[in-house]
Protein backbone atom coordinates (compact mmCIF):
# COMPACT_ATOMS: atom_id res chain seq x y z
CA UNK A 1 0.00 0.00 0.00
CA UNK A 2 1.24 3.51 -0.67
CA UNK A 3 2.75 5.39 2.27
CA UNK A 4 1.92 2.78 4.94
CA UNK A 5 3.19 5.13 7.66
CA UNK A 6 0.86 7.93 6.48
CA UNK A 7 -2.17 6.15 4.99
CA UNK A 8 -4.69 8.27 3.11
CA UNK A 9 -8.08 6.70 2.44
CA UNK A 10 -8.48 7.98 -1.12
CA UNK A 11 -4.93 6.93 -2.07
CA UNK A 12 -5.39 3.43 -0.69
CA UNK A 13 -8.74 2.97 -2.45
CA UNK A 14 -7.24 4.16 -5.74
CA UNK A 15 -4.26 1.84 -5.27
CA UNK A 16 -6.55 -1.17 -4.70
CA UNK A 17 -8.71 -0.21 -7.67
CA UNK A 18 -5.60 -0.04 -9.85
CA UNK A 19 -4.45 -3.48 -8.72
CA UNK A 20 -7.85 -5.10 -9.16
CA UNK A 21 -8.83 -3.55 -12.47
CA UNK A 22 -12.28 -4.85 -13.36
CA UNK A 23 -13.53 -7.12 -10.54
CA UNK A 24 -15.30 -10.33 -11.50
CA UNK A 25 -16.56 -13.62 -10.07
CA UNK A 26 -12.97 -14.80 -9.46
CA UNK A 27 -11.75 -11.72 -7.61
CA UNK A 28 -10.80 -12.32 -3.97
CA UNK A 29 -10.07 -9.41 -1.66
CA UNK A 30 -7.84 -9.92 1.40
CA UNK A 31 -7.17 -7.26 4.01
CA UNK A 32 -5.20 -7.16 7.25
CA UNK A 33 -5.53 -4.63 10.06
CA UNK A 34 -6.08 -1.15 8.60
CA UNK A 35 -6.06 -2.85 5.21
CA UNK A 36 -9.44 -4.35 6.16
CA UNK A 37 -10.85 -0.86 6.24
CA UNK A 38 -9.21 -0.07 2.92
CA UNK A 39 -10.75 -3.18 1.36
CA UNK A 40 -14.19 -2.35 2.78
CA UNK A 41 -13.95 1.24 1.56
CA UNK A 42 -13.01 -0.07 -1.90
CA UNK A 43 -15.93 -2.51 -1.78
CA UNK A 44 -18.21 0.39 -0.89
CA UNK A 45 -17.29 1.99 -4.23
CA UNK A 46 -18.03 -1.28 -6.02
CA UNK A 47 -21.38 -1.62 -4.27
CA UNK A 48 -22.25 1.91 -5.36
CA UNK A 49 -21.53 0.88 -8.95
CA UNK A 50 -23.48 -2.39 -8.71
CA UNK A 51 -20.32 -4.50 -8.92
CA UNK A 52 -19.00 -7.22 -6.63
CA UNK A 53 -16.17 -9.65 -5.98
CA UNK A 54 -16.34 -13.38 -5.31
CA UNK A 55 -14.90 -13.41 -1.79
CA UNK A 56 -13.57 -11.12 0.89
CA UNK A 57 -11.25 -12.20 3.71
CA UNK A 58 -10.64 -9.73 6.53
CA UNK A 59 -7.93 -10.49 9.10
CA UNK A 60 -7.39 -8.63 12.40
CA UNK A 61 -9.61 -5.73 11.50
CA UNK A 62 -12.84 -4.08 12.50
CA UNK A 63 -15.73 -2.47 10.67
CA UNK A 64 -15.04 1.28 10.31
CA UNK A 65 -16.62 2.70 13.46
CA UNK A 66 -17.58 6.28 12.44
CA UNK A 67 -16.35 7.69 15.74
CA UNK A 68 -16.51 11.35 16.63
CA UNK A 69 -13.17 13.15 16.35
CA UNK A 70 -12.77 13.00 20.13
CA UNK A 71 -13.46 9.25 20.19
CA UNK A 72 -11.03 8.69 17.32
CA UNK A 73 -8.37 10.73 19.08
CA UNK A 74 -8.83 8.67 22.25
CA UNK A 75 -8.50 5.45 20.23
CA UNK A 76 -5.50 6.58 18.15
CA UNK A 77 -3.64 8.75 20.61
CA UNK A 78 -4.64 11.88 18.69
CA UNK A 79 -3.18 10.73 15.37
CA UNK A 80 -4.17 13.12 12.60
CA UNK A 81 -3.15 10.40 10.13
CA UNK A 82 -5.48 7.75 11.54
CA UNK A 83 -8.38 10.04 12.53
CA UNK A 84 -10.10 9.89 9.08
CA UNK A 85 -10.03 6.09 9.16
CA UNK A 86 -12.04 6.17 12.37
CA UNK A 87 -14.38 9.10 11.63
CA UNK A 88 -15.33 8.62 7.97
CA UNK A 89 -18.42 6.40 7.81
CA UNK A 90 -18.83 3.44 5.49
CA UNK A 91 -22.13 2.30 3.96
CA UNK A 92 -22.42 -1.29 5.19
CA UNK A 93 -25.18 -2.11 2.72
CA UNK A 94 -22.93 -1.26 -0.23
CA UNK A 95 -19.99 -3.14 1.26
CA UNK A 96 -22.11 -6.24 1.90
CA UNK A 97 -23.53 -6.11 -1.62
CA UNK A 98 -20.02 -6.05 -3.11
CA UNK A 99 -18.14 -8.37 -0.71
CA UNK A 100 -19.31 -11.74 -2.03
CA UNK A 101 -18.71 -14.58 0.43
CA UNK A 102 -17.14 -12.82 3.40
CA UNK A 103 -14.93 -14.30 6.14
CA UNK A 104 -13.54 -12.42 9.12
CA UNK A 105 -10.61 -13.87 11.07
CA UNK A 106 -9.79 -12.50 14.52
CA UNK A 107 -7.55 -13.58 17.39
CA UNK A 108 -8.74 -13.71 20.98
CA UNK A 109 -5.60 -11.90 22.19
CA UNK A 110 -5.23 -9.17 19.56
CA UNK A 111 -3.71 -6.16 21.36
CA UNK A 112 -5.22 -3.67 18.88
CA UNK A 113 -8.70 -5.05 18.22
CA UNK A 114 -11.49 -5.50 20.75
CA UNK A 115 -12.44 -8.92 19.41
CA UNK A 116 -15.93 -9.07 20.90
CA UNK A 117 -16.76 -5.59 19.61
CA UNK A 118 -15.26 -6.29 16.17
CA UNK A 119 -17.14 -9.58 15.81
CA UNK A 120 -20.41 -7.94 16.87
CA UNK A 121 -19.98 -5.04 14.44
CA UNK A 122 -19.20 -7.41 11.57
CA UNK A 123 -22.23 -9.57 12.42
CA UNK A 124 -24.48 -6.51 12.35
CA UNK A 125 -23.07 -5.06 9.14
CA UNK A 126 -21.73 -7.79 6.86
CA UNK A 127 -23.01 -11.05 8.39
CA UNK A 128 -19.78 -12.87 7.49
CA UNK A 129 -18.41 -16.18 8.63
CA UNK A 130 -16.40 -15.25 11.72
CA UNK A 131 -13.42 -17.28 12.88
CA UNK A 132 -11.89 -16.44 16.24
CA UNK A 133 -8.51 -18.09 16.70
CA UNK A 134 -6.62 -18.54 19.94
CA UNK A 135 -3.30 -16.89 20.71
CA UNK A 136 -2.49 -15.41 17.29
CA UNK A 137 -2.14 -11.78 18.40
CA UNK A 138 -2.42 -9.30 15.55
CA UNK A 139 -1.08 -11.72 12.93
CA UNK A 140 2.00 -9.55 12.38
CA UNK A 141 5.74 -9.53 12.93
CA UNK A 142 5.19 -9.27 16.69
CA UNK A 143 3.73 -12.78 16.75
CA UNK A 144 5.07 -16.14 15.61
CA UNK A 145 2.29 -16.48 13.03
CA UNK A 146 3.87 -17.03 9.62
CA UNK A 147 1.00 -18.90 7.99
CA UNK A 148 -2.74 -18.50 8.24
CA UNK A 149 -4.51 -21.63 6.97
CA UNK A 150 -7.94 -20.20 7.81
CA UNK A 151 -7.36 -17.27 5.44
CA UNK A 152 -6.07 -19.55 2.69
CA UNK A 153 -9.10 -21.80 3.07
CA UNK A 154 -11.46 -18.81 3.02
CA UNK A 155 -9.83 -17.42 -0.12
CA UNK A 156 -9.49 -20.68 -2.04
CA UNK A 157 -12.17 -22.91 -0.52
Amino acid sequence: MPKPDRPVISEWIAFIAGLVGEPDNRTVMVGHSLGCQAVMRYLETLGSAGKCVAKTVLVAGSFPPAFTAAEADAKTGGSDVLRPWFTTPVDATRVKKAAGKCTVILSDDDPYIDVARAAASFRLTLDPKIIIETGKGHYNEDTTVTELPAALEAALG
Side-chain angles (χ1 to χ4, degrees):
M1 300 300 284
K3 298 188 283 185
D5 294 336
R6 295 203 58 80
V8 176
I9 293 171
S10 61
E11 292 174 6
W12 279 29
I13 292 171
F15 184 78
I16 293 169
L19 289 175
V20 172
E22 188 62 33
D24 60 26
N25 65 354
R26 297 178 323 200
T27 305
V28 177
M29 302 300 303
V30 178
H32 170 261
S33 194
L34 192 61
C36 293
Q37 277 206 37
V39 166
M40 288 184 278
R41 291 173 188 284
Y42 167 72
L43 291 171
E44 180 183 32
T45 68
L46 292 186
S48 296
K51 298 177 182 180
C52 65
V53 299
K55 298 176 184 177
T56 300
V57 181
L58 303 171
V59 179
S62 61
F63 195 83
F67 286 155
T68 66
E71 291 170 326
D73 286 349
K75 178 75 173 167
T76 66
S79 170
D80 62 329
V81 172
L82 294 177
R83 188 178 302 117
W85 293 90
F86 288 88
T87 58
T88 307
V90 172
D91 185 328
T93 303
R94 290 178 180 173
V95 175
K96 185 175 180 178
K97 183 190 307 186
K101 183 179 177 184
C102 186
T103 302
V104 171
I105 303 170
L106 303 167
S107 176
D108 65 352
D109 65 345
D110 191 318
Y112 305 110
I113 303 294
D114 179 328
V115 176
R117 185 176 186 164
S121 69
F122 279 123
R123 279 188 194 98
L124 289 172
T125 55
L126 302 182
D127 192 30
K129 176 180 181 182
I130 296 178
I131 299 168
I132 300 178
E133 297 192 323
T134 302
K136 304 287 184 167
H138 195 60
Y139 302 95
N140 61 6
E141 64 275 359
D142 295 335
T143 66
T144 59
V145 177
T146 58
E147 295 181 359
L148 188 50
L152 187 61
E153 174 63 29
L156 301 179

